[in-house]
Amino acid sequence: MLKPVGSNTRGKEGYIYVSYGHPKYLKHVVASVTTLRRYDTERPVALACTEKHKSLIKRYDLEHLFDHLIDLPDEHASIVGFKHNFFHYLFFDKNLFLDSDIVWCKDPDPLWKSFDAFEFTITGNLVSDNFFGAPKSIGVVKDVLLLRRRRTLKRFGLTYLSRAQTGIMYSRNYTITKKVCEEAKALLNRKSETHFQSRKKEKGRNEESCEWSLAMAMSKLNVPIFAWFQGQRSPQLDYIQFLTEHDEDFEYVKCKYYCNDFVYSFRGLKTDWLKNLLIKIFSIIPGKGDHMMVTPYCLHFGWYHEKQPFFDFSERVWEKAISPNYQRGSSDLEGRSKNDA
């Protein structure tokens, strides 16, 4: 059984993180929360974690980073296990779930106000591309030629499929959240009837995806997506080294944001020279090369081949957090000894 948080959370907005598996994922949470506290020192943070991770938090005296530590059952200690059961983890009146590989870049107050228009939502694009839940290679051409995406939608009675990006999920309505999660579970069990492939086939991935099933569930239940790309008001943008300016501790972040969705989609290519070449070619067309420098609310390290800067950052934050000279509550990532205070 999940342990509820204290009654003092009622009427509050709060953040939710989850941590399980290899200890490095706890390091990621600590790094993300540290950046969050640069901008928001008031809203509480709840962490749902396994006993192993809770013992690490206690061993290194890191309990001060979290307002609530919640037991995470083994059956929920996976991407699908947690996000398809998100309705169990609505600890606050208004809940904002965050992936651990996220760096906060600015004051989240306006973002919370934007979420007020929704009872439950997930960030994403209104229309998914052909790569969503499909092969991330030339193999996708077969799906396109055989109209597999269209056939999936027809088979399940859907007229559209959004591209859910579950790095950020929001809820203030238990009933709707439960309906979406339960529907997503049912759809995942029917994966063989869809064109979607296992995420485990992607390099570096060892867990199944929850995103296409949640996207289908939201479409079936007519639950709106929260626009992922909103220019200067984007809730999150991908970290792409080729397109991102930042300092070592991500206190200064600017992302080059192409206003044309097609041109901006080139960010996912692994080779910088190819990205640059394609952007230059399409920028010949008026408007296609238009871009702006944006500081998103969150910088998300979702692309596997772009994660190393976050790994390095989380290691530095962790070492400073467990250092005897680390000053609790300080937003200074360098830490200070008592003699320096």
PDB file of all heavy atoms in Angstrom, residues 288-299:
ATOM      1  N   LYS A 288      11.618  29.222 -43.488  1.00  0.00           N
ATOM      2  CA  LYS A 288      12.047  27.924 -42.964  1.00  0.00           C
ATOM      3  C   LYS A 288      13.240  28.051 -42.024  1.00  0.00           C
ATOM      4  O   LYS A 288      13.427  27.224 -41.130  1.00  0.00           O
ATOM      5  CB  LYS A 288      12.393  26.954 -44.096  1.00  0.00           C
ATOM      6  CG  LYS A 288      11.248  26.648 -45.038  1.00  0.00           C
ATOM      7  CD  LYS A 288      10.121  25.917 -44.339  1.00  0.00           C
ATOM      8  CE  LYS A 288       9.018  25.527 -45.310  1.00  0.00           C
ATOM      9  NZ  LYS A 288       7.879  24.863 -44.633  1.00  0.00           N
ATOM     10  N   GLY A 289      14.053  29.080 -42.214  1.00  0.00           N
ATOM     11  CA  GLY A 289      15.232  29.246 -41.373  1.00  0.00           C
ATOM     12  C   GLY A 289      15.003  30.171 -40.190  1.00  0.00           C
ATOM     13  O   GLY A 289      15.934  30.422 -39.406  1.00  0.00           O
ATOM     14  N   ASP A 290      13.796  30.670 -40.043  1.00  0.00           N
ATOM     15  CA  ASP A 290      13.503  31.561 -38.917  1.00  0.00           C
ATOM     16  C   ASP A 290      13.741  30.826 -37.593  1.00  0.00           C
ATOM     17  O   ASP A 290      13.302  29.689 -37.413  1.00  0.00           O
ATOM     18  CB  ASP A 290      12.049  32.035 -38.968  1.00  0.00           C
ATOM     19  CG  ASP A 290      11.789  33.018 -40.102  1.00  0.00           C
ATOM     20  OD1 ASP A 290      12.710  33.217 -40.914  1.00  0.00           O
ATOM     21  OD2 ASP A 290      10.674  33.564 -40.166  1.00  0.00           O
ATOM     22  N   HIS A 291      14.410  31.500 -36.681  1.00  0.00           N
ATOM     23  CA  HIS A 291      14.676  30.871 -35.389  1.00  0.00           C
ATOM     24  C   HIS A 291      14.758  31.932 -34.303  1.00  0.00           C
ATOM     25  O   HIS A 291      14.875  33.123 -34.567  1.00  0.00           O
ATOM     26  CB  HIS A 291      15.975  30.067 -35.429  1.00  0.00           C
ATOM     27  CG  HIS A 291      17.196  30.892 -35.697  1.00  0.00           C
ATOM     28  ND1 HIS A 291      17.643  31.157 -36.973  1.00  0.00           N
ATOM     29  CD2 HIS A 291      18.058  31.525 -34.860  1.00  0.00           C
ATOM     30  CE1 HIS A 291      18.720  31.904 -36.924  1.00  0.00           C
ATOM     31  NE2 HIS A 291      18.996  32.153 -35.637  1.00  0.00           N
ATOM     32  N   MET A 292      14.664  31.501 -33.071  1.00  0.00           N
ATOM     33  CA  MET A 292      14.778  32.376 -31.911  1.00  0.00           C
ATOM     34  C   MET A 292      15.617  31.693 -30.857  1.00  0.00           C
ATOM     35  O   MET A 292      15.765  30.463 -30.859  1.00  0.00           O
ATOM     36  CB  MET A 292      13.390  32.726 -31.359  1.00  0.00           C
ATOM     37  CG  MET A 292      12.573  31.517 -30.921  1.00  0.00           C
ATOM     38  SD  MET A 292      10.894  31.928 -30.344  1.00  0.00           S
ATOM     39  CE  MET A 292      10.066  32.281 -31.903  1.00  0.00           C
ATOM     40  N   MET A 293      16.196  32.476 -29.971  1.00  0.00           N
ATOM     41  CA  MET A 293      16.946  31.919 -28.837  1.00  0.00           C
ATOM     42  C   MET A 293      16.009  31.870 -27.642  1.00  0.00           C
ATOM     43  O   MET A 293      15.471  32.892 -27.212  1.00  0.00           O
ATOM     44  CB  MET A 293      18.182  32.755 -28.543  1.00  0.00           C
ATOM     45  CG  MET A 293      19.184  32.796 -29.691  1.00  0.00           C
ATOM     46  SD  MET A 293      19.718  31.150 -30.277  1.00  0.00           S
ATOM     47  CE  MET A 293      20.621  30.531 -28.848  1.00  0.00           C
ATOM     48  N   VAL A 294      15.779  30.675 -27.125  1.00  0.00           N
ATOM     49  CA  VAL A 294      14.747  30.437 -26.118  1.00  0.00           C
ATOM     50  C   VAL A 294      15.357  29.822 -24.854  1.00  0.00           C
ATOM     51  O   VAL A 294      16.214  28.932 -24.936  1.00  0.00           O
ATOM     52  CB  VAL A 294      13.672  29.475 -26.680  1.00  0.00           C
ATOM     53  CG1 VAL A 294      12.714  29.030 -25.581  1.00  0.00           C
ATOM     54  CG2 VAL A 294      12.918  30.143 -27.817  1.00  0.00           C
ATOM     55  N   THR A 295      14.908  30.308 -23.707  1.00  0.00           N
ATOM     56  CA  THR A 295      15.195  29.638 -22.441  1.00  0.00           C
ATOM     57  C   THR A 295      13.918  28.928 -22.014  1.00  0.00           C
ATOM     58  O   THR A 295      12.960  29.575 -21.591  1.00  0.00           O
ATOM     59  CB  THR A 295      15.617  30.633 -21.342  1.00  0.00           C
ATOM     60  OG1 THR A 295      16.816  31.297 -21.742  1.00  0.00           O
ATOM     61  CG2 THR A 295      15.871  29.902 -20.029  1.00  0.00           C
ATOM     62  N   PRO A 296      13.855  27.605 -22.157  1.00  0.00           N
ATOM     63  CA  PRO A 296      12.641  26.869 -21.762  1.00  0.00           C
ATOM     64  C   PRO A 296      12.539  26.789 -20.246  1.00  0.00           C
ATOM     65  O   PRO A 296      13.503  27.083 -19.525  1.00  0.00           O
ATOM     66  CB  PRO A 296      12.866  25.491 -22.371  1.00  0.00           C
ATOM     67  CG  PRO A 296      14.357  25.320 -22.319  1.00  0.00           C
ATOM     68  CD  PRO A 296      14.926  26.692 -22.597  1.00  0.00           C
ATOM     69  N   TYR A 297      11.383  26.395 -19.748  1.00  0.00           N
ATOM     70  CA  TYR A 297      11.274  26.151 -18.316  1.00  0.00           C
ATOM     71  C   TYR A 297      12.165  24.976 -17.920  1.00  0.00           C
ATOM     72  O   TYR A 297      12.847  25.011 -16.894  1.00  0.00           O
ATOM     73  CB  TYR A 297       9.822  25.866 -17.928  1.00  0.00           C
ATOM     74  CG  TYR A 297       8.944  27.087 -18.017  1.00  0.00           C
ATOM     75  CD1 TYR A 297       8.121  27.293 -19.125  1.00  0.00           C
ATOM     76  CD2 TYR A 297       8.950  28.049 -17.013  1.00  0.00           C
ATOM     77  CE1 TYR A 297       7.333  28.429 -19.216  1.00  0.00           C
ATOM     78  CE2 TYR A 297       8.160  29.189 -17.103  1.00  0.00           C
ATOM     79  CZ  TYR A 297       7.352  29.375 -18.205  1.00  0.00           C
ATOM     80  OH  TYR A 297       6.582  30.501 -18.301  1.00  0.00           O
ATOM     81  N   CYS A 298      12.157  23.943 -18.759  1.00  0.00           N
ATOM     82  CA  CYS A 298      12.950  22.742 -18.481  1.00  0.00           C
ATOM     83  C   CYS A 298      13.769  22.355 -19.699  1.00  0.00           C
ATOM     84  O   CYS A 298      13.280  22.431 -20.831  1.00  0.00           O
ATOM     85  CB  CYS A 298      12.045  21.569 -18.112  1.00  0.00           C
ATOM     86  SG  CYS A 298      11.092  21.798 -16.606  1.00  0.00           S
ATOM     87  N   LEU A 299      14.986  21.949 -19.450  1.00  0.00           N
ATOM     88  CA  LEU A 299      15.851  21.393 -20.486  1.00  0.00           C
ATOM     89  C   LEU A 299      15.886  19.891 -20.253  1.00  0.00           C
ATOM     90  O   LEU A 299      16.320  19.427 -19.187  1.00  0.00           O
ATOM     91  CB  LEU A 299      17.250  21.997 -20.377  1.00  0.00           C
ATOM     92  CG  LEU A 299      18.237  21.699 -21.502  1.00  0.00           C
ATOM     93  CD1 LEU A 299      17.732  22.264 -22.826  1.00  0.00           C
ATOM     94  CD2 LEU A 299      19.609  22.284 -21.167  1.00  0.00           C
TER      95      LEU A 299
END
